Amino acid sequence: MIVSHDIDAAVARLREGRLIVMPTETVYGLAGDACSDEAVAQIFALKGRPSFNPLIVHVRDVSVAAAYVQWNDLAARLAGAFWPGPLTLVLPRQEHCPISYLASAGGDTLAIRVPAHPVAQAVLEAFGGGIAAPSANRSGKISPTMVAHVQFEFPDRDLLILEGGACDVGIESTVVDCASGDGAVILRPGSITQEMITAQGIDVCEAAAHSGDFKSPGMLASHYAPNLAVRLNVDQVQPDEALLAFGDSPVAGAAKTLNLSESYDLVQAAGRLFAYLRELDQPSFSRIAVMPIPMEGLGVAINDRLRRAAAERS
Ligand code: TXA
Ligand code: MG
């Protein structure tokens, strides 16, 4: 791996769809172009995440944020008080939002923040667009707050790590839902506290108080299911079914076929999964039939999401 101060080299990698590690004021993030399905899929692959939790998209300022999400008064007040800084806002995606659906875990909302760290700001300024970045550790491990932690997590990877010193805050950002229509709801506590938000004259509550059956933010992903029924592991299709294929020999005879990966590439398949499910979810078809996906690497997460999509209906 390469430890560097070279912002231009890091941005060049992002433009090629490759990942970098970038410091933020909270923790180091494993970063990729948020508009690239494959870059976002690589983030999940490298972290070894067993399912697709939605990711935070980092942007340089409010104007970029407002291009991606449906901005509202609540978001403007929170951003005015705490951006740049360790506060993430969850808002509805803009229509035609170019951010990968994998960053939203297939849902209709996007988590977005403007980080305060000067290195992250320099990268965002030079890159221009949104950068998806969860903490730069392997799934289930502790978030890294120094370069040495990142090196320990990903020892033999061809990864460019931008040096940014020890992170000031050290815990992940506060995540606030601004899309519920009931004011600000804290989904994940962080260093921007409920008291600090209230002190700005903004009504805010904790997710637990807001709803008795609240699921942890990571589980919000499971709220997405297609309208159509989903049939898994198919080896033949009906003529009125839409087919989500995998591999170089798609089953013949479906009304419409989209192929997750002709070349059996699970990173490519993961990157396309949610966008293709949406595209096939049309009332003119009877069902979405899905060919088998191997249970290895990102295939575990893909099958996890497909199982949920199928279970929701039956
Ligand atoms: O401080 C941070 O936030 C760090 C640095 C790198 O910016 N990033 C980070 O990302 O912690 P990550 O992916 O590890 O955490 C994202 C959190 C998760 O709790 C996730 O469930 C929630 O944000 N989240 C992301 N998108 C969401 C959405 N659309 N709706 C609700 N929660 C969301
Ligand atoms: Mg994390």
Side-chain angles (χ1 to χ4, degrees), residues 152-173:
F152 180 79
E153 289 293 318
F154 304 112
D156 43 36
R157 292 284 172 171
D158 168 37
L159 201 58
L160 186 148
I161 305 174
L162 282 174
E163 173 61 79
C167 301
D168 283 344
V169 177
I171 58 165
E172 295 88 345
S173 61

Side-chain angles (χ1 to χ4, degrees), residues 283-307:
S284 51
F285 307 127
S286 64
R287 240 170 270 102
I288 301 174
V290 187
M291 288 177 64
I293 314 287
M295 279 292 275
E296 61 192 48
L298 276 191
V300 176
I302 294 171
N303 280 301
D304 170 78
R305 302 302 299 120
L306 285 171
R307 259 198 318 274

